Amino acid sequence: MIQPVANGLRTDHPVPGLPFINDERLLLDNPDAIERTGRNQGEGLWGRTDRLDGGGWVAFTTETKNRDYAWAVHQHPEHGRTVLLIRDTDLSSLHHEWVYGRNGFLYRHGGYWWDGDCWYRPQQIVDRAYEGYQARPVADAVTITAVDVLARPATPHTARIAKIADFTALEEPLPHWREHLALWASHRKPGSLPLDQCTVDLWAPELDPARFVDRAGLARIAELELEDLPHPKYGRQDLPPPQIETAEGPRWSRPVAGDWAEQYHRTHGPRKLLSATTTFGTGQPRGLVDDHHRLTKIIADSLQDAEESKKNRLFTRGSSTTHEEQAAHLAWWPAVAINDSTDGFIPLTAVRTTIIEAVLGGLARDMEGNDAPQNVLLGDLRGDVVHLIDWYILREPQLAPALFGEICLDARLRFGLDPKDVGDLLRRSLNLDSGLDHQTLKTLLELALPPSAQSPKNNDGRRR
């Protein structure tokens, strides 16, 4: 997790426990100027600004007077600005989170995040249909504002605003932070975001430290042995983001631990579910084990046939048969079994259907928003699809005409594409990525493409 080290004095949303730093050098109304502070100003300096979808912007710059740190500014069109001092090494990571992370702009308690309307738990549940993480709201969440914190009793303490030039990040949160917040509030300018709209923290029942769990609790929630959990010392990135750190180790809220357990089983569960034990006592994917058992029987039967056959003397004592010949004999029937179209190891009919649908899927993408098939530009097939075509026709060469013919037929009926255009696409894509040599491929396509998908002939009968 990205840990800010200080608040800018003009931030609207202070992070609890962090000191406030004079940020007057930053032109907070000019993101381009913030970027220029560090960008191209010397080795090790960097700056960046980006406009955000829905309005607002972000800007970053290395602090030139203290290059271990960088400023990060998030300007929200409704909720004002966030000004943070972070470690310079975290600059690109926070830029990615704010611009592409789809996880709000305020982060508290180890990754709990706020988008301006709702608080959510740290992102852990991957949703590949949206190329991101599922947002899970916090139950009974209460937003704590600056007004709420300042309403608490004051304590005798002298707060101060730090300067960037001699700043060093603290190892522990500031004591008496309420007094530092009061000093921050006294520096607010007219027109600033009202204090009751300045978000400081989050409270929720699940964030009660008394209800947090340690590694043993995390293991119980995930239904794992403790020794199967990643160790914080060596595999911290594989554990959920902790809500607090203690002398005994990290602690997590139960919902965060539950989300981590769910994602852990989503990641590792299919392999466990579809595993089996090999003859050698090891765990392997069930399909591999099934294939091994089938091949074992095929080879055993082959050995038995060879031993019983009076005509086959490959395995009789004194035979001059080479190891290569023996291996060729033993490998033949497994190879036949793998390529058997009726009961083989690989369902060739299903592979053929997959190839056709993959090609048509690519054509569908090319046709999106185009009502004139004669004017559409067909993109090349993906390399993996071409490799699968290679694999199929090398094992079922007699079915190549049927494969290419069905592709051209479906493309014509579903998209109105001229078979000639589809034939050109197949020819071009295969020439780019097929493992077949050029002459073999040329001859194959002349034989296997439908006549309507062939290039016209020259006067001498050769294809153009």
Side-chain angles (χ1 to χ4, degrees), residues 232-460:
K233 186 175 181 180
Y234 308 107
R236 176 57 69 94
Q237 70 275 11
D238 297 320
L239 290 169
Q243 276 56 75
I244 60 171
E245 295 282 355
T246 70
E248 293 76 27
R251 297 291 185 267
W252 299 277
S253 73
R254 291 180 179 273
V256 167
D259 287 350
W260 181 85
E262 179 181 337
Q263 184 59 37
Y264 181 91
H265 290 297
R266 286 176 179 272
T267 301
H268 301 281
R271 180 179 179 87
K272 181 178 180 181
L273 177 67
L274 300 176
S275 68
T277 303
T278 68
T279 304
F280 314 110
T282 59
Q284 294 289 345
R286 186 185 301 175
L288 173 59
V289 174
D290 290 345
D291 288 349
H292 179 240
H293 290 335
R294 290 182 67 183
L295 285 169
T296 298
K297 186 177 186 308
I298 291 169
I299 293 174
D301 291 345
S302 180
L303 285 170
Q304 184 66 27
D305 290 345
E307 185 176 316
E308 294 177 354
S309 174
K310 294 181 180 180
K311 294 181 179 180
N312 190 334
R313 302 183 59 82
L314 282 174
F315 300 97
T316 59
R317 185 171 297 175
S319 170
S320 60
T321 305
T322 66
H323 290 299
E324 288 76 10
E325 291 172 323
Q326 294 179 29
H329 177 81
L330 292 176
W332 174 249
W333 289 113
V336 170
I338 288 174
N339 290 274
D340 184 358
S341 60
T342 55
D343 189 30
F345 286 82
I346 299 171
L348 293 176
T349 301
V351 171
R352 178 173 178 269
T353 300
T354 301
I355 291 171
I356 293 169
E357 291 301 316
V359 174
L360 293 176
L363 294 176
R365 287 191 295 273
D366 293 337
M367 292 297 299
E368 288 179 357
N370 195 310
D371 297 327
Q374 66 275 14
N375 297 327
V376 70
L377 180 63
L378 301 179
D380 298 332
L381 299 179
R382 293 183 177 180
D384 285 344
V385 176
V386 174
H387 295 161
L388 196 57
I389 292 174
D390 270 2
W391 187 93
Y392 179 79
I393 61 179
L394 285 171
R395 285 154 182 81
E396 296 284 357
Q398 73 282 3
L399 295 181
L403 173 68
F404 294 144
E406 187 168 349
I407 290 173
C408 292
L409 172 64
D410 286 353
R412 182 178 62 81
L413 294 178
R414 288 176 57 176
F415 308 120
L417 290 170
D418 189 325
K420 168 64 171 56
D421 294 333
V422 179
D424 289 344
L425 167 65
L426 290 168
R427 186 179 293 104
R428 183 174 69 249
S429 299
L430 286 166
N431 274 298
L432 282 172
D433 292 313
S434 173
L436 298 174
D437 66 84
H438 178 75
Q439 185 56 49
T440 300
L441 193 58
K442 179 175 180 294
T443 303
L444 171 69
L445 292 171
E446 288 179 350
L447 294 170
L449 283 175
S452 57
Q454 298 282 0
S455 297
K457 295 181 178 180
N458 292 320
N459 292 335
D460 59 3

Side-chain angles (χ1 to χ4, degrees), residues 3 5 22 67 184 334 374 410 455:
Q3 299 290 349
V5 297
N22 189 338
R67 297 188 179 190
W184 162 81
Q374 66 275 14
D410 286 353
S455 297

Side-chain angles (χ1 to χ4, degrees), residues 34-42 45-49 61-62:
I34 297 174
E35 176 188 40
R36 286 195 300 270
T37 301
R39 193 174 187 88
N40 299 323
Q41 298 302 310
L45 300 178
W46 191 77
R48 177 72 184 257
T49 184
T61 182
T62 305

